[in-house]
Amino acid sequence: MSVRIETLVRRAPGPESKVLLDGVSLDVPDGGFVALVGPSGAGKTTLLRSVAGLDAPESGHVVIDGRAVEGLAPRERNVGFVFQNYALFRHMTVAKNIAFGLDVLPRGQRPSKADITARVAELLTLIQLPDLGQAYPERLSGGQRQRVALARALATRPGLLLLDEPFGALDPVVRRTVRAWIRALHDQLKLTTILVTHDQEEALDVADRVVVMQDGRIVQDADPQTLEEEPATPFVMEFLGESLRFEGQISSGQFVPNQAHVGAFDVQSLSDGPAVAMIRPHEVRLHAMREDGAAVRQIGVRYGLIRLSVNLGVRTVEILQPEPTASTFYDCGVQLDIQEARLFRDGKLARAAQEAETGQQHEMVSAI
Amino acid sequence: MKHAHNTTRARAIDPLPGFRFALVSTLLWVGLIVALPLTALVMRPWQEGIGAMTAALQDSRMFAALRVSFVSAFLAALIDVPLGVILAWTLVRARLPGRRVADALIDLPFAIPTAVTGITLATLYGPQGWLGAPLARLGISIAYTATGIVVALMFVGLPFIVRSVEPVLRDLPPDLEEAAGLLGARPWQIVTRVVLPALLPATVTGFGLAFARGIGEYGSVIFIAGNQPFRSEIAPLLIVVRLQEFDYPGATSIAFVLLVVSSLCLAGVAWLRRRVARGLITGAAA
């Protein structure tokens, strides 16, 4: 089931009327897995609820599977929806919860009792909880409730699955498992899925395409790799992970940072003027300096990389370095090499991430 | 040494700070205010001898009065259930003007002296009353009949239902109804399958409170009931009648039966509440 969203506008109720959705357009192809990410208040949940029919936009269109759905009640849209807090019916057993969507069908369309029981059993197996049909949701762990909510949403075989922060209440280990499992399920059942999350890592892990939202607008809509290499704005860069920011000037083909202890680097095809360089901590390289370098101190380890604190005078930055390289800098000062940075000018991307040439590090050390 | 260690450990896992103080004061107050009078009530009937008690227990007027009390209280509480739930629903969900005034009015039956309630209802439903006169023309008489008792008990019982259901309805997450809608439920299916079952334990609690209040209600009933023995005489009134006749075994035996049957009824309500609370309230019987 494809979804097309055309210039949706939605204002918050009340006299201040904050704009929740500011002309949002989005295309989700059949079979796509799209994640909507952004800080709270970005409008991602409002967008999802508009697709489900739980929220009525003021203008714009939602087209599901080629059919405009304005004025259609949620129950007529055939979408599966998983709420952040799962919204399980606590007075019903797990089996009854899962069967709900089938039980409420009009008599003519409702499958027989035996068929419903069989479908519930099938879904319980799918969510790997075959023995918990008679349990009440209260007895389940967070991860189990989450899977029951998903089974309930899938019982009527919707083509479109909408997930509103479905992993928010889970602990990190369970979260990673469930995430992988949902992706597998999406592929297995050939679903079209829209996931809302404020966790960028989650979005990059699970989705084909990530839509970054800010203040009711879509800032960038791209696959994870493009987002990483060519973030459209500094906001996207910052939102998608830890980043370091260096102001500077471009003059005669070189980016010259305003910051001391940070090396200049060549940039072709950019006119002179101010610019901002942004880089991930693990992309920074260090050059040992014989004199007047910035002091380096180890502060921890992450993902097998050494976390270093570099004192640049006016501020301290934290970077990640592989272990053998890291230890060589403790005794001498360093200069930061940020030539892999993306460059922004006037809030927009001016140069994408660059693959650093290998072996350059040593060359430069000897040059100094 | 070991003993000392154990006491410190016990103290460390004490779930309630000031447990001893709480326990002593609880026992003291429950003892003085509830258990002591009830014990006296249970003891008193037997003081005149077993014979007097058995004689008193064979009084058919007493059983008629008890029947009137329990049946009226039950019917009134039962009729109050839909009324109270709808009222609570309106107060919570509908954004009507004057909602706050209505909200304040709900509690008034608690505050008005019950005799005032009784006289007001008797006047209203009497043969010349605003409601009584048109109803009389239709052949329906409410005042001075058993129906009048039910009307009076509905009035005093209604706030219990509303106040039990209202907070639960207010706290009901909106996403439950949204989820049901997305799963294909029509509005009436959402109400009957999702909302009402969630409200059921609170409704049963409110029913139990209204029912208990109805059994014991005296002031509002005697003015509207007509108080004919065997037909519209309630048990609390018969106790007063017996006291005025200086028939203490008769009065206390009615009170004793009232106590026993009320306890059984309330135990039944508690059992029902646990049953309907499955999955809804932590620790409810599964």
Side-chain angles (χ1 to χ4, degrees), chain A residues 18 83 133-134 184 188 223 225 239-240 243 262 311 360 364:
Chain A
K18 179 182 182 281
F83 288 86
Q134 293 316 306
Q188 185 191 337
D223 61 273
Q225 198 182 348
F239 189 77
L240 293 182
S243 58
V262 183
N311 185 355
Q360 201 171 18
M364 284 192 67

Side-chain angles (χ1 to χ4, degrees), chain B residues 268-284:
Chain B
V269 168
W271 174 83
L272 182 66
R273 185 174 173 279
R274 271 203 307 280
R275 269 203 69 83
V276 299
R278 279 197 299 187
L280 286 173
I281 295 166
T282 313

